[in-house]
């Protein structure tokens, strides 16, 4: 069905919700704003994160907020882990020579460290990190790597990922493993809404069997 898969990182391949929430609350506390619990954060957080911060901490420079966020994230004791079924899915793609990419808003330094610490680099042909608005990059990615849009899917866990996929003309796969509740993702009508990457892999396997 697909020759190419573009993955979001946080909430799609790795679980970093804990340290992200901790770091966000550290930034809020620094500026005298009430902190959020996990459920509230999942309902309110969105990308581009510049818009999220402008809503909750208006008028504060983004580079200042990013500085404090990154420091608090790095100091968090909550581990970042590979999500269940993520590594198996990527191995499955390697075996079938499906081309894989990452498109993430995570800052480049943190992302590159996680990529190596979690031994995930070998799975990707190219990675794009530090992307504030993914809509501005997905077309560049498709053209640079000569990917056919009708043979490509973008997998992510947030509204912005669904919107980005539609903007790029590729299939959108929304996953329930990360930052956004089901009912919120459903409102934006992704092509597929999946519990996790195992469900997506099983769908592709069934599709391949039907075609053969």
């Amino acid at each position: 069905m697909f020759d190419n898969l573009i993955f979001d990182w946080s909430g799609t391949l790795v679980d970093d919700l804990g340290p992200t929430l901790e770091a966000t609350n550290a930034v809020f506390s620094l500026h005298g704003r009430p902190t959020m619990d996990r459920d509230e954060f999942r309902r309110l957080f969105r990308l581009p994160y510049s818009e999220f911060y402008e809503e909750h901490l208006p008028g504060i420079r983004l580079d200042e907020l990013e500085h404090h966020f990154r420091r608090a994230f790095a100091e968090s004791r909550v581990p970042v882990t590979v999500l269940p079924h993520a590594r198996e899915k990527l191995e499955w793609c390697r075996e079938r020579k499906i081309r894989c990419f990452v498109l993430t808003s995570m800052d480049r330094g943190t992302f590159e460290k996680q990529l190596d610490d979690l031994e995930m680099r070998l799975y990707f042909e190219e990675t794009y990190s530090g992307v504030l608005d993914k809509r501005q990059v997905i077309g560049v990615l498709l053209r640079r790597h000569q990917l056919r849009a009708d043979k490509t899917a973008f997998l992510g866990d947030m509204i912005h990922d669904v919107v980005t996929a539609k903007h790029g003309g590729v299939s959108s796969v929304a996953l329930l493993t990360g930052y956004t509740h089901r009912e919120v993702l459903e409102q934006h009508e992704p092509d597929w809404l999946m519990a996790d990457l195992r469900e997506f892999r099983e769908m592709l396997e069934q599709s391949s069997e039907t075609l053969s």
Side-chain angles (χ1 to χ4, degrees), residues 9-25 36-45 69 73 76 78-81 83 106 114 157-158 176-181:
W9 185 251
S10 301
T12 299
L13 294 172
V14 304
D15 181 4
D16 65 354
L17 181 54
T20 298
L21 175 58
E22 192 174 301
T24 301
N25 280 333
M36 294 182 179
D37 62 25
R38 187 184 183 95
D39 185 67
E40 183 182 16
F41 180 74
R42 291 186 69 210
R43 292 187 183 280
L44 296 179
F45 183 70
F69 176 90
F73 189 98
S76 174
V78 182
V80 176
T81 59
L83 280 163
M106 178 176 285
Q114 289 184 13
D157 65 303
M158 299 188 70
L176 299 175
T177 48
Y179 284 56
T180 312
H181 288 286

Side-chain angles (χ1 to χ4, degrees), residues 40-102:
E40 183 182 16
F41 180 74
R42 291 186 69 210
R43 292 187 183 280
L44 296 179
F45 183 70
R46 69 181 190 276
L47 296 175
Y49 61 78
S50 56
E51 297 177 1
F52 170 79
Y53 279 115
E54 182 59 30
E55 178 182 347
H56 295 280
L57 294 171
I60 301 175
R61 287 176 46 179
L62 185 61
D63 58 348
E64 177 187 339
L65 296 171
E66 288 176 329
H67 170 74
H68 293 298
F69 176 90
R70 291 170 187 170
R71 184 174 66 181
F73 189 98
E75 292 173 352
S76 174
R77 295 296 189 92
V78 182
V80 176
T81 59
V82 179
L83 280 163
H85 316 298
R87 198 178 298 275
E88 292 86 347
K89 171 61 180 176
L90 292 170
E91 290 284 0
W92 185 89
C93 290
R94 285 186 76 194
E95 292 170 2
R96 287 156 181 79
K97 301 188 185 319
I98 295 172
R99 300 170 69 187
C100 293
F101 303 83
V102 172

Side-chain angles (χ1 to χ4, degrees), residues 50 99 102 112 116 118 127 139 145 183 200-201:
S50 56
R99 300 170 69 187
V102 172
E112 291 289 335
D116 288 330
L118 298 172
T127 62
H145 300 282
E183 61 269 23
F200 180 63
R201 188 190 73 229

